[in-house]
Amino acid sequence: MKLTLHVWRQKNAQDRGRMFRYEVPGVNEHMSFLEMLDVLNERLIEKGEDPIAFDHDCREGICGMCGMMINGKAHGGFKGTTVCQLHMRHFKDGDELYLEPWRAAAFPVIKDLAVNRSSFDRIIAAGGFISVPTGSAPDGNAIPVRKLDADLAMDAAACIGCGACVAACPNSAAALFVGAKISHLAHLPQGQPERDRRALAMIRQMNREGFANCSNIGECEAACPKEIKLEVIAQSNADYIKAAFTERPETAIGGAG
Amino acid sequence: MSATANLPLDELRFWETSVGKKAVMAVTGVLLFGFVIAHLLGNLQIFESPEKINHYAETLRSVPVLLWGARITLLISVCLHIWASFALWRLQRAARPIPYVKKSNTHSTYASRTMMWSGPIVLAFVIYHLLHFTFGVVHPGGPFDKHNVYNNVVYGFQFWPVSLFYIVAMIMLCYHLYHGLWSMFQTLGFSHPVYTPWLQRLAKVAAILIAAGNISIPVAVLAGFIKPV
Ligand code: HEM
Ligand code: SF4
Ligand code: FES
């Protein structure tokens, strides 16, 4: 099949950038979306042009590196699918596709379709540690975890940090990502000792990075390749609100610390 | 990060974070919703008799503590609600300086994406409404008599452009509550795979009933069911 692509080209973070049009003939329906871009890039290189920069790593939907807007939909808008797992059979001859990078002040463009998501790393770092004994491996069943909590924690832990939720959100909120990270540990016994400070620190860092608020619109949930639910946002709101109202200065009169 | 469980209190405070501001919106939104319900129930007495609604208005005024208590609470709520909405709106604007060439919103309601349109239109309406029926300073269509609420309403709505504006504003309020009434639960931390969809349905029904109830009054006046006395 033959496609027409309109791709955001931007040399570097300072460049203004603009959309460029590319005709891509000879696209095989068995290619993945990124393979289609690889083919286009090889042709560009042969012509002596600059290839289109885009992020990717595992290409099997688990690392969270890939991601771009395809016709205004994060990862192309297919249920539970990262763009690396998106196959060209979903498109047809003559389709015209607009490829744009994630748009958010907290995700500055590095080049073309690749954005800098260090803001997510800093939110994770702000979340800090959990107190578990290191050394020899603990007995797997030493701490009982309710089945429902284990399920909810694992569902939240499925977040790969791709940033599609921010990209799809009309507000550029990172609530789904942060909610997934806060919920993940909030459901586990190992996450309890630092639960309050984690919620406070991650929400505050989220705001410092310039992510806006959640309006419970729900575009993130639909865009998330790991199908993280809006429920995690409510969970993180609850944790944050409780922590904010119980936060108090340190005390160590009894000598505990 | 420090190794203590407590953070210094000079970090971003509750209302300085987006989650805190949303909580402020949700709590003030509940208060405003309570008012809207009470106000509607009061207004619908116009269908009973002129005496009934005029008496109701007198009763409200006869307990100044309650009346002013409610007015002050509402004024503070409105101010906080609007302050938070504008602060968050500015945050949203700053969070995406370069817009998409193409953006498709497929899974969200129109109401949820237009809170910043429906809200300010409702605000404009509230201001006009106060000037119209509370202070009586902008009351085209007939005389304004502080002690005859019934006639004020009927004369007021006989002037059709005003009625039209009221009807449009109530449709905007409907949109605002359509999203707001369930959104506030999510904001305050409640979400449930079974109950949240029910809350969404309830929010729709409540929003539509509130708008329909309020709209019925100007429509009844224009249709001639309710006449001045
Ligand atoms: C009768 C008056 C009003 C009522 C009953 C009302 C009620 C509500 C409720 C219940 C919410 C949900 C809060 C949440 O999502 O947690 C809300 C949200 C909102 N309100 Fe209002 N509101 C009123 C007036 C206004 C006005 C005048 C404005 C605009 C200046 C406004 C702007 C907003 C916005 C922008 C949101 C969404 C906030 C967000 O989701 O981020 N509202 N409102
Ligand atoms: S919540 Fe979903 S969309 Fe957001 S970063 Fe995690 S995996 Fe990506
Ligand atoms: S490249 Fe790893 S998730 Fe797509």
Side-chain angles (χ1 to χ4, degrees):
Chain A
M1 67 181 109
K2 178 169 175 271
L3 297 177
T4 304
L5 301 186
H6 299 265
V7 184
W8 182 261
R9 299 303 310 263
Q10 182 175 339
K11 286 196 183 66
N12 52 43
Q14 285 72 43
D15 185 24
R16 278 183 55 110
R18 67 183 182 90
M19 299 298 279
F20 267 71
R21 189 188 154 101
Y22 298 94
E23 301 289 343
V24 197
V27 175
N28 184 315
E29 62 167 13
H30 299 300
M31 288 174 174
S32 76
F33 201 86
L34 299 188
E35 283 165 345
M36 182 274 293
L37 288 178
D38 291 337
V39 169
L40 170 60
N41 274 346
E42 275 169 31
R43 292 176 191 163
L44 291 178
I45 293 167
E46 276 167 18
K47 282 197 282 183
E49 290 177 31
D50 195 20
I52 300 162
F54 59 89
D55 264 327
H56 62 108
D57 190 6
C58 70
R59 296 212 179 187
E60 51 188 45
I62 55 171
C63 76
M65 265 316 272
C66 66
M68 66 187 71
M69 300 299 272
I70 304 173
N71 282 350
K73 294 181 186 163
H75 291 297
F78 295 87
K79 190 172 187 285
T81 310
T82 53
V83 69
C84 61
Q85 288 286 293
L86 177 59
H87 284 268
M88 295 313 296
R89 60 174 174 270
H90 293 292
F91 301 92
K92 56 180 195 309
D93 189 48
D95 273 358
E96 209 165 316
L97 306 178
Y98 285 74
L99 309 188
E100 294 177 74
W102 293 163
R103 290 282 184 213
F107 286 167
V109 171
I110 300 169
K111 187 171 195 267
D112 303 336
L113 303 174
V115 297
N116 183 342
R117 283 164 293 181
S118 303
S119 48
F120 269 14
D121 299 335
R122 288 187 292 269
I123 294 173
I124 297 279
F129 54 84
I130 57 164
S131 302
V132 287
T134 52
S136 62
D139 176 354
N141 297 321
I143 306 170
V145 181
R146 194 165 64 132
K147 174 72 165 69
L148 176 64
D149 281 321
D151 288 345
L152 291 172
M154 291 325 262
D155 282 357
C159 166
I160 53 178
C162 64
C165 44
V166 175
C169 175
N171 303 348
S172 298
L176 198 68
F177 165 77
V178 175
K181 299 306 168 198
I182 290 177
S183 283
H184 165 200
L185 288 167
H187 282 291
L188 294 176
Q190 292 86 344
Q192 298 314 308
E194 294 83 14
R195 182 172 177 176
D196 286 2
R197 67 161 299 288
R198 184 168 46 248
L200 290 170
M202 292 183 90
I203 296 280
R204 285 166 178 163
Q205 189 62 30
M206 170 183 94
N207 282 165
R208 279 194 213 97
E209 297 292 349
F211 291 106
N213 67 298
C214 173
S215 291
N216 307 322
I217 288 174
E219 288 294 336
C220 56
E221 184 182 56
C224 175
K226 297 296 146 186
E227 302 180 55
I228 304 288
K229 298 280 174 287
L230 280 188
E231 199 177 348
V232 300
I233 301 178
Q235 173 77 59
S236 64
N237 288 346
D239 279 17
Y240 171 80
I241 292 169
K242 178 185 163 269
F245 281 101
T246 51
E247 187 181 23
R248 43 172 288 175
E250 279 181 51
T251 172
I253 298 167
Chain B
M1 295 309 291
S2 82
T4 54
N6 300 355
L7 292 167
L9 288 169
D10 58 352
E11 291 270 1
L12 285 183
R13 273 163 300 186
F14 185 67
W15 61 90
E16 288 171 320
T17 64
S18 57
V19 180
K21 286 201 182 77
K22 270 305 292 278
V24 169
M25 297 209 65
V27 170
T28 53
V30 175
L31 293 173
L32 294 172
F33 172 61
F35 164 75
V36 167
I37 293 280
H39 191 58
L40 171 65
L41 294 179
N43 290 347
L44 288 178
Q45 297 178 42
I46 200 163
F47 287 108
E48 284 195 37
S49 67
E51 295 72 34
K52 182 90 187 180
I53 189 153
N54 284 343
H55 176 72
Y56 166 69
E58 284 311 320
T59 318
L60 286 185
R61 273 192 227 120
S62 65
V63 208
V65 190
L66 279 186
L67 183 66
W68 281 100
R71 282 177 172 172
I72 290 165
T73 312
L74 286 171
L75 188 65
I76 294 172
S77 297
V78 167
C79 290
L80 288 175
H81 194 83
I82 293 169
W83 161 75
S85 75
F86 276 91
L88 293 174
W89 178 70
R90 286 182 46 206
L91 201 64
Q92 292 165 12
R93 304 264 311 201
R96 181 165 293 149
I98 304 171
Y100 288 112
V101 174
K102 267 208 186 310
K103 175 73 173 80
S104 96
N105 293 315
T106 45
H107 290 74
S108 50
T109 59
Y110 179 74
S112 73
R113 282 179 273 120
T114 50
M115 293 298 271
M116 231 19 217
W117 284 101
S118 58
I121 293 171
V122 170
L123 175 68
F125 162 76
V126 169
I127 293 171
Y128 179 73
H129 183 52
L130 289 173
L131 296 175
H132 190 205
F133 286 147
T134 307
F135 303 113
V137 286
V138 194
H139 191 264
F144 183 84
D145 171 7
K146 220 165 100 114
H147 297 287
N148 195 338
V149 172
Y150 178 87
N151 270 358
N152 292 343
V153 171
V154 178
Y155 287 136
F157 285 148
Q158 279 179 342
F159 188 60
W160 71 265
V162 167
S163 287
L164 183 69
F165 175 52
Y166 270 71
I167 292 169
V168 170
M170 284 307 114
I171 294 172
M172 291 299 123
L173 179 64
C174 177
Y175 273 109
H176 201 76
L177 295 179
Y178 190 96
H179 180 64
L181 286 183
W182 80 268
S183 167
M184 62 198 187
F185 287 92
Q186 176 84 9
T187 300
L188 294 177
F190 179 80
S191 177
H192 188 280
V194 177
Y195 302 138
T196 298
W198 276 105
L199 283 175
Q200 288 171 330
R201 277 172 220 139
L202 264 172
K204 279 181 204 174
V205 173
I208 291 168
L209 284 181
I210 289 170
N214 278 323
I215 288 173
S216 70
I217 299 170
V219 168
V221 171
L222 287 178
F225 287 129
I226 301 179
K227 295 187 183 65
V229 285

